[in-house]
């Protein structure tokens, strides 16, 4: 388990819960607007935190924190993610997973084992535009399809979310996203921000509020 970051108190990462956020290193996508470049292409700049150190910290916060968020990078690249989450569960914490949906087999396995309470999955773009926006030519879209279907038809609480980036996204993306995620209970559009750690800085811009509202209106009939 390659852990490269620990936020000891997060008030918004896990809906309705006070949580600690654990950041894993490495990702199988190369989204050019990624705001966690240190966890994707610059791991040498972020020292690893021993797993036991993280578990010891969590044990010290029993009764003070409600949950743990496992994020990245892409956490499902970690071969021992299940073992880590089992240990977190044994400490009594609820678990939220942030994922890009490229590993539906592991997503299903963690859900089947009862290690997840909530999943947040990124929807990078409209289906036809996905490989380009994710910076991953040749991306196997059937994997994304499988993760979407599994969450929509399953019993684990979840949300979908899209980071809207001027220069990458257009209204057509959201016309495609709506029918694709039809039936999901929660979908969020978050505006792009350059936090200084973007994979390709000074390339993209944020949308205006009115443009985001237009995107939301396109998807709204398919959500809820």
């Amino acid at each position: 388990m390659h852990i490269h970051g620990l936020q000891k108190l997060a008030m918004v990462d896990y809906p309705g819960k006070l949580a600690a956020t654990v950041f894993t290193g490495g990702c199988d996508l190369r989204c050019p607007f990624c705001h966690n470049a240190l966890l994707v292409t610059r791991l040498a700049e972020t020292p690893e935190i021993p797993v036991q150190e993280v578990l010891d910290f969590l044990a010290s916060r029993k009764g003070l924190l409600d949950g743990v968020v496992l994020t990245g990078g892409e956490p499902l690249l970690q071969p021992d993610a299940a073992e880590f989450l089992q240990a977190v569960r044994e400490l009594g914490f609820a678990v939220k997973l942030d994922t890009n949906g490229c590993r539906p087999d592991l997503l299903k396995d963690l859900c089947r084992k009862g290690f997840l309470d909530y999943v947040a999955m990124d929807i990078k773009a409209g289906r036809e535009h996905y490989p380009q926006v994710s910076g991953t030519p040749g991306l196997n879209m059937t994997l994304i399809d499988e993760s979407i279907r599994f969450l929509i038809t399953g019993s684990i609480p979840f949300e979908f979310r899209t980071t809207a980036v001027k220069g990458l996204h257009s209204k057509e993306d959201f016309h495609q996203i709506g029918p694709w995620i039809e039936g999901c209970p929660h979908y969020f559009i978050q505006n792009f921000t350059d936090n200084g750690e973007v994979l390709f800085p000074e390339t993209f811009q944020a949308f205006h509020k009115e443009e985001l509202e237009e995107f939301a209106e396109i998807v709204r009939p398919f959500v809820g």
Side-chain angles (χ1 to χ4, degrees), residues 18-35:
L18 292 177
T21 301
V22 177
F23 296 86
T24 62
C27 188
D28 43 0
L29 302 182
R30 289 295 182 269
C31 306
F33 57 92
C34 177
H35 66 279

Side-chain angles (χ1 to χ4, degrees), residues 58-66 91-93:
L58 294 175
S60 74
R61 293 301 187 271
K62 291 174 65 174
L64 301 174
L65 295 176
D66 306 309
L91 289 171
F93 293 107

Side-chain angles (χ1 to χ4, degrees), residues 52-206:
Q52 192 58 52
E53 181 178 322
V54 174
L55 293 175
D56 288 346
F57 165 77
L58 294 175
S60 74
R61 293 301 187 271
K62 291 174 65 174
L64 301 174
L65 295 176
D66 306 309
V68 173
V69 179
L70 186 63
T71 188
E74 172 49 52
L76 296 187
L77 291 180
Q78 304 298 322
D80 49 355
E83 289 83 353
F84 175 75
L85 291 181
Q86 182 176 11
V88 170
R89 173 70 85 223
E90 289 172 353
L91 289 171
F93 293 107
V95 174
K96 172 179 176 270
L97 173 73
D98 291 346
T99 183
N100 61 26
C102 289
R103 296 300 303 270
D105 53 338
L106 294 179
L107 175 61
K108 293 177 183 179
D109 183 60
L110 292 176
C111 290
R112 184 175 64 249
K113 290 176 177 175
F115 294 161
L116 300 179
D117 299 285
Y118 195 91
V119 176
M121 176 178 159
D122 292 328
I123 305 294
K124 300 296 185 181
R127 198 178 189 283
E128 295 178 4
H129 201 200
Y130 222 91
Q132 177 186 351
V133 174
S134 66
T136 314
L139 178 65
N140 184 355
M141 291 302 300
T142 61
L143 300 176
I144 307 299
D145 291 333
E146 187 176 347
S147 291
I148 290 174
R149 289 298 102 201
F150 170 71
L151 290 173
I152 289 178
T153 60
S155 58
I156 296 292
F158 72 97
E159 67 185 53
F160 293 136
R161 60 195 184 185
T162 300
T163 299
V165 187
K166 183 170 286 190
L168 286 178
H169 295 97
S170 69
K171 287 190 292 185
E172 179 56 32
D173 286 288
F174 297 94
H175 279 296
Q176 292 180 20
I177 288 171
W180 199 16
I181 64 170
E182 185 172 10
C184 80
H186 306 290
Y187 173 67
F188 300 97
I189 300 173
Q190 49 198 26
N191 208 3
F192 168 76
T193 58
D194 188 343
N195 66 348
E197 299 296 342
V198 174
L199 199 58
F200 292 97
E202 301 179 2
T203 304
F204 305 109
Q205 297 178 340

